[in-house]
Amino acid sequence: MAGSLHGIRVLEIASIGPGPHAAMMLSDMGAEVVRVERPGADGKPSPAPDDPVLRGRLRVALDLKSDNGIGELYELIERADVLIEGFRPGTTERLGFGPEQCARANPGLIYGRMTGWGQYGPLADSAGHDINYIALTGALHSIGPAADVPPPPLNLVGDFGGGSTYLTLGIVAALVERARSGLGQVVDAAMVDGVSSLMQMTWSLRRTGIWNDERSSNSLDGTAPFYRTYRCGDGRFVAVGAIEPQFYAAFVSGLGIDAGSLSAQRDRAGWTRLTEIFSARLAEMPRDYWEERFSGTDACVTPVLALDEVESHPHNVARGYVSREGRATMSSPAPRLSRTPSTAGAEPIDTTVESIGQRWHNRSD
């Protein structure tokens, strides 16, 4: 069964990080993605890395600093629905395929721009990475213990949470709007914008006085004894998310502790002591004991899995979250659509502009 974006043609100008991840999601949803790469010494695309993020692609090699390369690119632009680029602002304009230039060749083109800082602003032309983008939005400041430096939460929040996810959403929204107007538009997807959007609940909590601007002083930042991780007897960890009173009661009951001997759940003055009590109890037994103990309850207790354990956990197996293709672990497409399901494509295939042109020549619109 064809994916929901079947028939949509995407040009991905090769980059790293969120741009390829967005292209992967569009490919999973059925779009035909052509990744444009720099030519190697033999004039062909460089050897494809063993990277499932690049799945489901066709690849062509084009020298975008040459007139011939730009000319061939426009052969694809004229028939494409979407273009994704991840350069600093103004780069594609200088190369000759900026949004206005492309719109003259294809008024219906959706032009997706993936940057950290956005297309304008004092930092727009500056270099940066995930840690810099989440630092400017308040997200990084809010993470970690008060007595230590804020730790970067991998590159999940900026690159992918605030980056590729919002780029993909913007592209799909623009495709929906194009069905009404027939016109394309620019999607300015900046990681600082996306992370700021992700932070809205935190801003709302702060407005109502529930969230403090100091680390280790809030119920969702690892301070509360009912929302944090604990070390178990074997040195591994469990995650506890027993926020609601009934879930907290199930957690305390599962620990075998008399709730009447404890201070009230929301009494912040008692949080340090509660953490000590729960830490001592959980340290008595190994992690897998606690997973089994809380299985089937609403205590919101789960094992903290190492990457090597993820594939074999029963729930992950049932859902098919990840699979192993050769040496690489491949994530399953998300979200899951009932009538037009997404599928993970095969390894990228090298081709030519001429071949793609023939594939795209008979498009109905």
Side-chain angles (χ1 to χ4, degrees):
M1 187 177 296
S4 57
L5 294 183
H6 177 73
I8 298 298
R9 284 142 182 173
V10 178
L11 287 179
E12 173 201 359
I13 310 301
S15 61
I16 60 174
H21 190 257
M24 180 197 78
M25 289 191 286
L26 295 172
S27 173
D28 288 350
M29 287 185 270
E32 184 174 40
V33 179
V34 176
R35 180 175 167 93
V36 178
E37 304 214 17
R38 292 180 181 177
D42 58 359
K44 298 179 180 180
S46 302
D50 185 14
D51 184 0
V53 170
L54 301 183
R55 66 198 187 201
R57 310 282 218 287
L58 297 171
R59 300 198 316 160
V60 296
L62 293 179
D63 180 2
L64 298 182
K65 294 184 178 180
S66 72
D67 292 341
N68 183 61
I70 292 295
E72 288 191 288
L73 179 66
Y74 269 97
E75 292 181 29
L76 301 176
I77 288 172
E78 289 173 357
R79 296 187 175 97
D81 298 291
V82 177
L83 183 146
I84 294 175
E85 61 94 359
F87 297 110
R88 297 194 197 192
T91 300
T92 60
E93 286 87 346
R94 290 193 297 272
L95 290 172
F97 62 100
E100 293 184 5
Q101 296 153 311
C102 289
R104 288 193 289 270
N106 180 355
L109 183 71
I110 309 300
Y111 199 102
R113 315 197 80 168
M114 184 73 260
T115 62
W117 304 115
Q119 295 299 310
Y120 58 87
L123 295 175
D125 294 325
S126 302
H129 283 293
D130 183 293
I131 192 171
N132 307 115
Y133 311 135
I134 68 174
L136 211 68
T137 61
L140 185 59
H141 173 79
S142 303
I143 300 171
D148 206 345
V149 297
L154 304 183
N155 63 332
L156 298 177
V157 178
D159 281 352
F160 305 118
S164 58
T165 302
Y166 279 81
L167 173 60
T168 304
L169 174 62
I171 288 171
V172 172
L175 286 169
V176 171
E177 192 282 332
R178 190 185 68 172
R180 297 191 294 268
S181 68
L183 298 174
Q185 59 184 300
V186 176
V187 179
D188 177 3
M191 292 178 225
V192 288
D193 294 349
V195 176
S196 179
S197 175
L198 293 172
M199 286 290 289
Q200 182 54 59
M201 189 185 82
T202 304
W203 282 110
S204 297
L205 293 174
R206 188 169 185 266
R207 179 177 177 272
T208 58
I210 297 175
W211 190 275
N212 299 312
D213 206 20
E214 297 179 2
R215 292 195 305 281
S216 298
S217 62
N218 298 285
S219 59
L220 298 179
D221 63 5
T223 303
F226 50 82
Y227 198 87
R228 54 162 293 157
T229 56
Y230 289 94
R231 187 185 299 273
C232 301
D234 57 356
R236 295 188 289 180
F237 303 89
V238 290
V240 176
I243 299 175
E244 291 80 0
Q246 66 274 27
F247 300 160
Y248 179 73
F251 170 57
V252 173
S253 175
L255 291 176
I257 297 174
D258 177 13
S261 66
L262 303 176
S263 59
Q265 177 188 359
R266 294 289 176 173
D267 179 8
R268 290 176 179 256
W271 279 6
T272 299
R273 179 55 182 157
L274 285 178
T275 300
E276 293 172 351
I277 294 171
F278 297 158
S279 295
R281 179 71 179 108
L282 289 162
E284 293 176 5
M285 303 298 291
R287 184 197 69 183
D288 292 349
Y289 167 85
W290 292 116
E291 180 182 13
E292 183 177 356
R293 171 108 175 167
F294 286 106
S295 177
T297 75
D298 281 341
C300 301
V301 177
T302 53
V304 177
L305 299 179
L307 291 177
D308 287 341
E309 299 176 292
V310 170
E311 291 179 69
S312 59
H313 189 276
H315 186 78
N316 297 345
V317 171
R319 294 285 291 178
Y321 284 153
V322 293
S323 61
R324 187 170 292 278
E325 301 289 339
R327 294 177 300 162
T329 298
M330 181 180 291
S331 60
S332 298
R336 305 185 186 213
L337 282 70
S338 63
R339 189 169 54 80
T340 55
S342 301
T343 57
E347 294 181 356
I349 300 173
D350 293 349
T351 185
T352 64
V353 171
E354 181 181 7
S355 176
I356 296 169
Q358 292 173 353
R359 293 167 63 100
W360 290 6
H361 179 70
N362 295 322
R363 64 179 299 164
S364 58
D365 61 344

